[in-house]
Amino acid sequence: MKNNTKMERRDFIKSTVSSSLALILGTAYLMTGCNNSGKQTEQTADAKSQGNGVSSCDDYSGVDEVNLRKREQLGYVKQTPNPEHQCDNCKLYIAPKDGQQCGGCMLFTGPVFAEGYCTYWAPPDEA
C-alpha cells in the first residue's frame, strides 16, 4: 500500500520534464506574441508616416526620436550620391500609396524620398 502513494523516480522525472517544457514553451509563446504586436504597431506607424497628411517628405514631426537616430545611423540622405543606388530601387523601399508623394522604408518609420539613399541599400529581387 505504501508503494501506491509513493511517486516512482521515472514518473517524477516525466512530470518535471513535462512541466519545465510547458513553462518554456508558454514563455516563448508569450514573448513571440509580444514581439509580433510590436511589429504590427511599427508597421502601422510606417503606414501613417508615409505621407498621410504629410505635405512634404521633409516633415518628420510624426517620427519618434529612436527612428530619427536610426535614420542618422543608417546614413539616410535625401539625395543619393549614386543614381543606381536610390531608395526607389531598393528592396527595402515601401512605395508611396496613390496620392502620396513620400514612400517609406522597412528599416525605420517616417517619410522617405524616392531619390534618397542609406548605407543599407539592397538591390531589388530579380523578377
Side-chain angles (χ1 to χ4, degrees):
M1 189 160 186
K2 220 176 190 182
N3 258 350
N4 290 342
T5 59
K6 201 175 191 182
M7 184 180 269
E8 291 185 25
R9 181 181 297 168
R10 192 172 291 183
D11 292 333
F12 173 75
I13 291 172
K14 278 184 187 177
S15 66
T16 303
V17 169
S18 297
S19 298
S20 298
L21 185 59
L23 181 63
I24 290 169
L25 291 176
T27 303
Y29 176 76
L30 288 174
M31 291 176 68
T32 303
C34 290
N35 286 341
N36 284 343
S37 66
K39 287 179 186 174
Q40 289 170 353
T41 303
E42 210 170 282
Q43 289 171 352
T44 304
D46 260 344
K48 287 179 183 174
S49 63
Q50 283 180 26
N52 296 343
V54 176
S55 60
S56 168
C57 292
D58 284 320
D59 183 2
Y60 301 129
S61 60
V63 182
D64 63 5
E65 191 64 35
V66 171
N67 281 287
L68 289 174
R69 278 194 303 263
K70 252 191 226 180
R71 286 172 174 266
E72 189 177 312
Q73 290 169 346
L74 296 173
Y76 173 75
V77 292
K78 299 179 215 176
Q79 186 64 47
T80 181
N82 180 353
E84 294 177 10
H85 295 171
Q86 60 185 35
C87 290
D88 70 351
N89 70 356
C90 175
K91 183 178 183 176
L92 304 171
Y93 182 69
I94 302 168
K97 294 180 180 160
D98 292 337
Q100 296 176 345
Q101 65 183 36
C102 305
C105 181
M106 292 182 191
L107 299 175
F108 51 81
T109 60
V112 173
F113 283 91
E115 307 80 27
Y117 169 82
C118 85
T119 56
Y120 275 71
W121 180 88
D125 291 332
E126 296 296 321

